[in-house]
Amino acid sequence: MTTDIFFQIVTPDEAMTRLFDLLPTDPQTERVGLHDALGRIIAAPIISPEDSPAFARSAMDGYAVRAADTYGASEGLPAFLTVDGEVPMGAAAERPLQPGTAQLIHTGGMLPPRADAVVMVEYTQPVDQTSVEVLRPAAPGQHVIQAGEDLAAGDELLPAGHQLRAQDLGALAALGITEIDAAVRPVVGVLSSGDEVVPASTQPAPGQVRDVNAITLSALARQAGAEVREFGVAPDVRAELERRTRQALNTCDLVVISAGSSVSTRDMTADVIGSLGQPGLLAHGIAVKPGKPTIVALVDGKPVFGLPGNPVSAMVVFGLVVAPTIRRLLGLKLNEEPPQRPARLTRSLASQSGRIDFVPAVLQRRHGEWWADPVLGPSNLIATLVRASGLIRIPLDAGGLAEGAWVDVETF
Amino acid sequence: MTTDIFFQIVTPDEAMTRLFDLLPTDPQTERVGLHDALGRIIAAPIISPEDSPAFARSAMDGYAVRAADTYGASEGLPAFLTVDGEVPMGAAAERPLQPGTAQLIHTGGMLPPRADAVVMVEYTQPVDQTSVEVLRPAAPGQHVIQAGEDLAAGDELLPAGHQLRAQDLGALAALGITEIDAAVRPVVGVLSSGDEVVPASTQPAPGQVRDVNAITLSALARQAGAEVREFGVAPDVRAELERRTRQALNTCDLVVISAGSSVSTRDMTADVIGSLGQPGLLAHGIAVKPGKPTIVALVDGKPVFGLPGNPVSAMVVFGLVVAPTIRRLLGLKLNEEPPQRPARLTRSLASQSGRIDFVPAVLQRRHGEWWADPVLGPSNLIATLVRASGLIRIPLDAGGLAEGAWVDVETF
């Protein structure tokens, strides 16, 4: 009797394709003020409504000039210009620039009409209060930021599905955009199961253990951009597991069940998930170690995942199937990759072809190079993940890796 | 006249050393519930108060046995054991294991007294309802997670200064730790200045521009672990800049002023900061491009930074001096590095020795390799940062980099 006969193993990609083909392509949206928009996903492209800057600005401290008035200027034969006042900051010049004159201007100041260049103060020499010598010629446009040069009206500033970073908020502020349409955060329901599992705040009786997965999976879901509701611990009783799963489905957009460790518990979980709605189970078993006994399902439009109870497996599988589904529901572009650091293996690792292996590892800097030191020992200990700085991913058909080989470590 | 004479240029490291030497080493702390603790910095080492697991557990579905009863077992000559019931999940076995018997056990089940190994169900064969054949010998401890094997009482689970990740919360939950002492988030006051700058929600008059830095710097401060208070835009009037800076100092732990672009504005900002308390200015000018006209100060125990008004400079300098100071106030270990991706340069970049250069770049994947394509054009455009996926850092004494050279890109 082997556990394999219970599974129709598929690759994670295949499981995700089956699920994503059935999900809507566009997220629900809501208006979000710019101050709450960091990290949110924009639901539609943002088109610049105006030119930024709205006027030609000086990029230097110096003099606004007509470039033609400086042609041929040199230290030996400077161009002589009359200083016709100073451009105030935050206001238009008092008058257009007259031929043969210069106006003192500060970085960020608005160019006077008919000025087309700025001479840096370093390349000028004051003659008296009202005149200045220019020691180098200025080309038209020199040290000038043209109207619309930063962001031009009608240009696409950001594409749909983009996650807003600090500087994106700055660019939106520059354009006077103080609200955006963001993807609504999906609500993830987190449910643990197992007769032996008790809430973290409880003193366990002999044979009982505290729930590790609920808080870990909740934190991972929040990091992926979701809101979380927790539904406690269901005992290994079919009716109770079904009742709690229904409750989660009623109020959430996606449900994650950490499904216990024994074969019988996992089979009961699959059975319950499969019975709750259409199309039901899409995959039962994926080609990943640790994490094989994973359940991927869609229940009347809502993704439901059964994750192995082992905390290491649960975390690996969350990153592999649940986080991408949250990102998909958010409309985030799918080419996003988890943060990775290339590093060299401190020891050889065996792997089985046809399966993706994840091995927790500590990153170490040695002589300026990054090395990944696998954390060995039983794979089902939470301490393994606490000690590790990331996961080494051994691809589907690698069949093992030699000491010194370069690997990608997905840091966490 | 050159701007250099206004500055005593120091390296960013030197500026940070001057500041950090004067800051307290321990953060203020507060109790935080585990559900709010993701990303928080723990203020004291966390010592495991108990063994986890608290009892020996099975790592497999199978039979709890005495290893000695299986010695020499093989397919040809199996060991015959009487099945003495099933270990219930979440409770102790009903009785100790008798010699010559086995008890059915599930993954995560508590080993009965006197059992010392688990035989996987795959290596057994049922004989009848009350007996089983064992086809392979079990070594003592096989497929058993010993009490305390994951986390042992008295062990340091996490060091002080550690930032809590999802799996760390899981480990704390396993130990029944539902509250931790976290570093209090420092409150960062953000103040913009400049006669030409108006709030983002305003329609600018000719010569005016909307404030880009306030929201960008606020977002970066939140990402670094701080809380933020905004103090609007101060005009280039000494008394008003001083009034607002004092106001920020009264209610915040750290103040960031984006100090305008012109030399006169920057000098006024330095003058105001230097006059507000002791020891005042620690550095005025750092060896970084963009970002040279940076002010680093300590005012009666509170760090104050004057950042260049140019948004690209402001973002570079925030990452270089403000974010490390926030992390320092949080007690975060200082060996943390910003997320980096090694990539190859798509074109040669000039740099000046004795200065750190930051060049915004787009990361591109070509034939499985990462390339960093510098974003050229005026360095003071916010669009530059929007297009970029990170900053190439050219070290202090590199003196330029050739096309194809490997660089570290600090992603954002």
Side-chain angles (χ1 to χ4, degrees):
Chain A
M1 172 180 165
T2 72
T3 55
D4 281 12
I5 57 164
F6 295 108
F7 298 110
Q8 309 291 325
I9 306 284
V10 297
T11 64
D13 279 356
E14 170 63 21
M16 288 294 92
T17 301
R18 290 182 189 175
L19 176 61
F20 285 9
D21 281 352
L22 300 172
L23 292 180
T25 49
D26 292 323
Q28 292 190 286
T29 68
E30 62 185 345
R31 294 293 281 175
V32 174
L34 219 50
H35 275 86
D36 299 314
L38 182 65
R40 298 299 297 265
I41 317 296
I42 53 171
I46 290 179
I47 308 298
S48 181
E50 58 182 61
D51 278 347
S52 176
F55 48 85
R57 300 180 79 189
S58 177
M60 290 288 169
D61 290 343
Y63 291 91
V65 298
R66 303 192 329 160
D69 286 343
T70 69
Y71 288 166
S74 67
E75 304 241 350
L77 196 68
F80 182 91
L81 297 176
T82 302
V83 177
D84 186 21
E86 178 177 350
V87 179
M89 288 305 283
E94 282 158 26
R95 51 195 168 276
L97 192 79
Q98 301 302 320
T101 71
Q103 293 185 21
L104 189 62
I105 195 164
H106 302 282
T107 306
M110 178 181 181
L111 238 63
R114 294 186 213 157
D116 62 0
V118 170
V119 179
M120 287 169 70
V121 69
E122 289 88 331
Y123 300 133
T124 64
Q125 201 155 278
V127 177
D128 53 35
Q129 290 287 47
T130 59
S131 53
V132 70
E133 285 178 346
V134 176
L135 311 176
R136 290 202 193 177
Q142 194 161 20
H143 302 314
V144 174
I145 300 166
Q146 303 296 346
E149 185 174 343
D150 198 349
L151 309 164
D155 278 3
E156 182 178 287
L157 174 63
L158 296 165
H162 177 82
Q163 185 168 29
L164 291 171
R165 303 163 298 170
Q167 66 266 44
D168 301 325
L169 302 182
L172 293 168
L175 295 168
I177 299 172
T178 55
E179 280 191 338
I180 50 114
D181 284 318
V184 172
R185 294 185 188 283
V187 179
V188 170
V190 173
L191 171 59
S192 301
S193 75
D195 282 335
E196 78 281 22
V197 183
V198 297
S201 54
T202 308
Q203 185 58 44
Q208 297 183 331
V209 293
R210 297 192 189 89
D211 186 0
V212 166
N213 285 338
I215 193 153
T216 303
L217 298 176
S218 296
L220 292 172
R222 283 192 194 93
Q223 279 178 335
E227 288 183 11
V228 173
R229 288 200 192 128
E230 292 190 24
F231 291 86
V233 184
D236 292 329
V237 175
R238 198 188 187 290
E240 182 59 14
L241 184 62
E242 184 176 325
R243 190 184 70 78
R244 296 221 192 194
T245 308
R246 275 193 201 282
Q247 196 185 358
L249 277 166
N250 282 343
T251 52
C252 301
D253 303 305
L254 184 158
V255 176
V256 177
I257 306 170
S258 71
S261 309
S262 72
V263 171
S264 57
T265 309
R266 291 185 320 229
D267 287 348
M268 189 177 78
T269 307
D271 191 37
V272 166
I273 295 173
S275 71
L276 291 176
Q278 292 307 314
L281 297 192
L282 301 174
H284 187 189
I286 57 173
V288 174
K289 186 188 177 187
K292 188 169 75 164
T294 291
I295 299 159
V296 177
L298 187 69
V299 174
D300 298 339
K302 296 184 176 180
V304 179
F305 299 93
L307 267 47
N310 163 347
V312 181
S313 305
M315 189 161 175
V316 164
V317 172
F318 190 98
L320 208 56
V321 301
V322 186
T325 303
I326 293 172
R327 291 198 290 266
R328 163 66 187 250
L329 293 177
L330 284 163
L332 194 63
K333 280 171 296 167
L334 275 175
N335 54 358
E336 299 290 327
E337 297 186 27
Q340 290 179 341
R341 194 189 288 274
R344 301 183 65 188
L345 270 182
T346 59
R347 53 186 299 157
S348 298
L349 285 178
S351 171
Q352 194 175 298
S353 186
R355 175 177 91 186
I356 303 174
D357 278 64
F358 287 92
V359 181
V362 179
L363 282 165
Q364 301 168 340
R365 193 115 192 178
R366 296 185 187 172
H367 310 298
E369 225 174 32
W370 285 102
W371 287 77
D373 191 36
V375 180
L376 300 176
S379 72
N380 43 3
L381 304 184
I382 185 79
T384 309
L385 292 174
V386 171
R387 274 200 296 275
S389 25
L391 296 167
I392 300 169
R393 176 198 283 250
I394 308 177
L396 210 55
D397 294 310
L401 292 165
E403 179 184 333
W406 283 95
V407 292
D408 280 331
V409 179
E410 298 176 5
T411 54
F412 46 52
Chain B
M1 171 182 165
T2 72
T3 55
D4 281 11
I5 57 166
F6 294 107
F7 298 109
Q8 310 290 326
I9 306 285
V10 297
T11 64
D13 278 356
E14 169 64 19
M16 289 294 91
T17 301
R18 291 182 189 175
L19 176 61
F20 285 8
D21 281 352
L22 301 172
L23 292 181
T25 51
D26 291 322
Q28 293 190 285
T29 68
E30 62 186 343
R31 294 293 282 174
V32 174
L34 220 50
H35 275 86
D36 299 314
L38 181 66
R40 297 299 295 264
I41 317 296
I42 54 171
I46 290 179
I47 309 298
S48 182
E50 58 183 64
D51 279 347
S52 177
F55 47 86
R57 301 180 80 190
S58 176
M60 290 288 169
D61 290 343
Y63 291 90
V65 299
R66 302 189 332 155
D69 285 343
T70 68
Y71 289 165
S74 68
E75 303 241 351
L77 197 66
F80 182 91
L81 297 175
T82 301
V83 178
D84 185 20
E86 177 177 350
V87 179
M89 289 303 286
E94 281 158 27
R95 52 197 167 275
L97 193 77
Q98 303 301 323
T101 72
Q103 293 185 23
L104 189 62
I105 194 164
H106 303 280
T107 307
M110 178 181 183
L111 237 62
R114 297 187 213 157
D116 62 359
V118 170
V119 180
M120 286 169 68
V121 68
E122 289 88 332
Y123 300 132
T124 64
Q125 202 155 279
V127 177
D128 53 34
Q129 290 285 51
T130 58
S131 53
V132 70
E133 286 178 347
V134 175
L135 311 177
R136 291 202 191 176
Q142 193 162 20
H143 302 316
V144 174
I145 300 166
Q146 302 296 345
E149 184 175 343
D150 198 351
L151 309 164
D155 279 2
E156 182 178 289
L157 175 64
L158 297 165
H162 177 82
Q163 185 168 28
L164 291 171
R165 303 162 298 170
Q167 65 266 43
D168 301 326
L169 302 182
L172 293 167
L175 296 167
I177 300 172
T178 55
E179 280 192 337
I180 50 116
D181 284 319
V184 173
R185 295 184 187 282
V187 180
V188 170
V190 173
L191 171 59
S192 302
S193 75
D195 282 335
E196 76 280 23
V197 182
V198 296
S201 54
T202 308
Q203 184 59 44
Q208 295 182 334
V209 292
R210 297 192 188 89
D211 186 359
V212 167
N213 285 337
I215 192 151
T216 303
L217 298 176
S218 296
L220 291 171
R222 284 194 194 94
Q223 277 178 336
E227 288 184 12
V228 173
R229 287 198 193 129
E230 293 191 24
F231 291 86
V233 183
D236 291 329
V237 175
R238 197 187 187 293
E240 182 60 14
L241 183 63
E242 184 177 326
R243 190 184 70 77
R244 296 222 192 196
T245 308
R246 274 192 201 284
Q247 197 185 356
L249 277 166
N250 283 342
T251 53
C252 302
D253 303 305
L254 184 160
V255 177
V256 177
I257 306 172
S258 72
S261 309
S262 72
V263 172
S264 57
T265 310
R266 294 186 317 231
D267 288 348
M268 189 177 77
T269 307
D271 192 36
V272 167
I273 295 174
S275 72
L276 290 177
Q278 292 308 315
L281 297 193
L282 301 174
H284 186 187
I286 58 173
V288 173
K289 183 185 179 187
K292 188 169 74 165
T294 291
I295 298 158
V296 177
L298 187 69
V299 174
D300 298 339
K302 295 184 177 180
V304 180
F305 299 93
L307 266 46
N310 162 348
V312 181
S313 306
M315 188 161 176
V316 164
V317 172
F318 190 97
L320 208 55
V321 301
V322 185
T325 304
I326 293 171
R327 292 197 291 265
R328 163 66 186 250
L329 293 177
L330 284 163
L332 194 63
K333 279 172 298 169
L334 274 174
N335 55 0
E336 299 290 328
E337 297 185 26
Q340 289 178 342
R341 194 188 287 274
R344 302 183 65 188
L345 269 182
T346 60
R347 52 186 303 157
S348 298
L349 285 178
S351 171
Q352 195 175 299
S353 187
R355 176 177 89 187
I356 302 174
D357 279 63
F358 288 91
V359 181
V362 179
L363 282 165
Q364 301 168 341
R365 193 113 193 180
R366 297 184 187 172
H367 310 298
E369 226 174 29
W370 285 103
W371 287 77
D373 191 36
V375 181
L376 301 175
S379 72
N380 43 5
L381 304 184
I382 184 77
T384 308
L385 292 174
V386 171
R387 274 200 296 274
S389 26
L391 295 167
I392 300 169
R393 175 198 283 249
I394 308 176
L396 211 56
D397 294 311
L401 291 166
E403 180 184 332
W406 283 95
V407 293
D408 280 332
V409 179
E410 299 176 5
T411 54
F412 49 52

